[in-house]
Amino acid sequence: MITTDILIIGAGPTGLFAVFEAGLLQLKCHLIDALPQAGGQCSEIYPKKPIYDIPGFSEILAGDLVDNLMEQIKSFAPGFTLGERAQTIEKQEDGSFIVTTNKGTKHQAPIVAIAGGLGSFEPRKPLLENLKKYEDNGIAYIIKDPEVYRDTKVLIAGGGDSALDWSIFLADVASEVTLVHRRKEFRGALDSVEKVQALKNQGRIRLITPGEVTSLKGDEKLQSVTVRKNTTAVEDIEIAVDHFIPLFGLSPKLGPIADWGLDIEKNAIKVDTFDYQTNVPGMYAIGDVNTYPGKLKLILCGFHEATLMCQSAYQRIHPDKRYVMKYTTVGGVTGFDGSKKEAPKAVVKAID
């Protein structure tokens, strides 16, 4: 049995930052994640994708953000159960919880924080004949390493942020980039739409709107796709490609968590915005997995939620103690390994 103060389900950025905030309160954390490494989607799906809205960084790759978070929490020595899915939860007479994974590993803690992002998820796939034949042979739904596309012909389909951002990024990597979307309007950030338009005007991106991929061709590997251009007259265009990347989003599922007696709304866990506690006392939900009025699914918001959750968890674990918050610039950061980070003290010298 693994015991800890706070059991965090999900080792993405929000879960990792919760370890730091808990550590400042001298609370130990253990994390469970179905993926084989920490970092969540940032590590598994888009480690090389730049993120632009992390405070203090004008731009940071998702994988680098995870590396920085892991370095930040190192002195708090969190435990990890990776490659296992949290399967069941049982409330004990003393108020604690026992969470068992699909591989039978048991964990006990007085606090459970669900930071599972979107939960388990699968890419939404286009309805195309022979699609499965070319999966991993020219078709991919996730870009893990952009260097795979160096000096190749790439066609991206989609109209959201991922399709726009990767089209922009790969314009400097691939020999040819084609972006196809079934509408003229995009759902992504205006700045990204303007960048794509500028790259189109420079001849660095081929933009086909409205249009959609209707068929795939190739022997063992994908060699070309047919795009139906839906303008004033329907026109079928065959485009030679090395890679076809449909980016139609992910279909999220909460998985076993949906059966834990939590208040669920539209595949997300409802929480109290005072401390992000669920309808089950002692269980919290932070990050993209939760929902409340005005919710924004941003890493920044997850960090904020993790901070308030840890303060509430401390009061539940130590109801007889009053915690006085100290700024890290004043109190420093004391790790469980005895390490201490603190600002240098000013030298006070008497004047004769």
Side-chain angles (χ1 to χ4, degrees):
M1 180 85 71
I2 296 170
T3 60
T4 190
D5 294 319
I6 301 178
L7 182 63
I8 302 173
I9 299 172
T14 296
L16 295 177
F17 188 69
V19 174
F20 177 77
E21 289 297 323
L24 294 179
L25 301 170
Q26 295 295 291
L27 299 177
K28 290 279 290 183
C29 292
H30 190 94
L31 301 94
I32 302 173
D33 202 296
L35 295 175
Q37 74 284 318
Q41 294 182 54
C42 286
S43 293
E44 179 70 7
I45 299 179
Y46 47 83
K48 300 297 183 182
K49 184 178 180 181
I51 302 176
Y52 301 104
D53 57 357
I54 301 298
F57 294 94
S58 59
E59 174 183 338
I60 185 170
L61 296 181
D64 290 343
L65 174 63
V66 171
D67 290 342
N68 289 353
L69 287 166
M70 291 293 286
E71 181 64 28
Q72 186 179 28
I73 65 176
K74 185 187 294 183
S75 65
F76 295 128
F80 289 91
T81 299
L82 299 175
E84 299 185 31
R85 183 180 64 248
Q87 190 74 25
T88 63
I89 188 166
E90 301 171 80
K91 188 77 173 281
Q92 305 302 296
E93 289 186 4
D94 63 358
S96 68
F97 302 89
I98 292 180
V99 174
T100 306
T101 71
N102 61 318
K103 294 185 179 179
T105 308
K106 292 184 178 293
H107 311 72
Q108 185 169 18
I111 301 293
V112 172
I114 302 171
L118 295 173
S120 60
F121 49 85
E122 293 182 357
R124 295 189 177 100
K125 301 180 181 182
L127 299 175
L128 293 171
E129 189 177 352
N130 295 329
L131 185 73
K132 192 170 183 63
K133 172 183 176 181
Y134 299 112
E135 289 178 346
D136 297 324
N137 289 303
I139 293 180
Y141 307 103
I142 295 169
I143 298 176
K144 294 184 179 180
D145 181 5
E147 284 302 310
V148 169
Y149 307 96
R150 174 73 61 183
D151 300 326
T152 65
K153 299 175 182 179
V154 179
L155 186 143
I156 294 174
D161 283 315
S162 290
L164 291 165
D165 291 347
W166 279 120
S167 295
I168 296 166
F169 189 91
L170 292 179
D172 292 325
V173 176
S175 59
E176 292 181 16
V177 174
T178 302
L179 175 59
V180 177
H181 182 42
R182 59 183 177 174
R183 299 187 183 92
K184 280 193 168 293
E185 299 79 20
F186 287 88
R187 303 184 309 277
L190 178 60
D191 180 62
S192 297
V193 175
E194 291 175 346
K195 285 180 180 177
V196 166
Q197 183 64 51
L199 289 168
K200 176 200 171 188
N201 295 341
Q202 296 166 19
R204 297 174 60 198
I205 286 180
R206 182 181 188 180
L207 184 62
I208 301 177
T209 58
E212 60 182 318
V213 175
T214 57
S215 66
L216 312 168
K217 291 182 182 179
D219 296 327
E220 295 301 316
K221 292 182 62 97
L222 183 68
Q223 294 174 315
S224 69
V225 302
T226 299
V227 175
R228 178 158 292 173
K229 192 174 180 181
N230 300 311
T231 51
T232 51
V234 175
E235 178 186 1
D236 286 340
I237 309 167
E238 185 169 343
I239 301 174
V241 298
D242 299 301
H243 300 278
F244 170 40
I245 309 171
L247 295 175
F248 298 144
L250 301 169
S251 178
K253 297 177 183 177
L254 283 176
I257 292 173
D259 301 321
W260 288 2
L262 301 169
D263 196 354
I264 307 294
E265 180 181 283
K266 295 182 180 178
N267 214 42
I269 302 169
K270 293 179 69 174
V271 293
D272 183 342
T273 53
F274 176 76
D275 57 3
Y276 304 98
Q277 195 163 189
T278 69
N279 59 302
V280 178
M283 290 183 66
Y284 299 77
I286 53 177
D288 289 355
V289 76
N290 74 16
T291 186
Y292 52 85
K295 169 70 179 182
L296 292 176
K297 293 189 175 184
L298 297 172
I299 294 175
L300 169 65
C301 297
F303 290 167
H304 163 77
E305 294 163 12
T307 304
L308 296 189
M309 178 277 292
C310 288
Q311 296 287 323
S312 176
Y314 180 88
Q315 293 302 324
R316 287 191 65 85
I317 295 172
H318 301 295
D320 56 334
K321 293 183 180 180
R322 180 174 175 270
Y323 175 73
V324 179
M325 192 193 84
K326 294 181 180 179
Y327 297 108
T328 54
T329 50
V330 176
V333 177
T334 302
F336 297 151
D337 57 1
S339 62
K340 175 81 173 180
K341 293 180 181 178
E342 58 183 332
K345 298 292 190 293
V347 176
V348 179
K349 184 178 180 181
I351 300 175
D352 295 330

